[in-house]
Amino acid sequence: MQRYSILWADDEIDLLKPHILFLTNKGYDVTPVNSGADALDKCNEQNFDIVFLMKICRV
């Protein structure tokens, strides 16, 4: 079975640890980062199958 890689960018990544552990236990390789800049750096280092980004809302 192929292992899919996920990049997850969120400034509150610590709150998402249960979700990351769940995905890891299901066989996904999850790379968490704390910012968009870190996400771009990681994308330059390796390829990901999917990227989860935080939603930014301006008021």
Side-chain angles (χ1 to χ4, degrees), residues 6 11 16 22 29 32 59:
I6 299 170
D11 61 344
L16 301 173
F22 173 81
D29 293 322
V59 179

Side-chain angles (χ1 to χ4, degrees), residues 1 12 14 16-17 20 32 39 42-43 47 50 56-57 59:
M1 180 178 179
E12 296 180 345
D14 290 336
L16 301 173
K17 283 194 184 211
I20 293 169
K42 284 291 182 185
C43 285
N47 293 323
I50 190 165
I56 299 172
C57 299
V59 179

Side-chain angles (χ1 to χ4, degrees), residues 9-31:
D10 196 312
D11 61 344
E12 296 180 345
I13 203 75
D14 290 336
L15 298 176
L16 301 173
K17 283 194 184 211
H19 302 290
I20 293 169
L21 289 173
F22 173 81
L23 290 169
T24 301
N25 289 335
K26 292 293 183 180
Y28 295 94
D29 293 322
V30 181
T31 302

Side-chain angles (χ1 to χ4, degrees), residues 4-10 13 16 20 23 28-54:
Y4 293 99
S5 60
I6 299 170
L7 175 65
W8 199 327
D10 196 312
I13 203 75
L16 301 173
I20 293 169
L23 290 169
Y28 295 94
D29 293 322
V30 181
T31 302
V33 294
N34 290 317
S35 69
D38 290 343
L40 289 174
D41 289 342
K42 284 291 182 185
C43 285
N44 286 327
E45 295 173 9
Q46 74 181 84
N47 293 323
F48 294 94
D49 296 302
I50 190 165
V51 177
F52 296 151
L53 299 173
M54 64 182 174

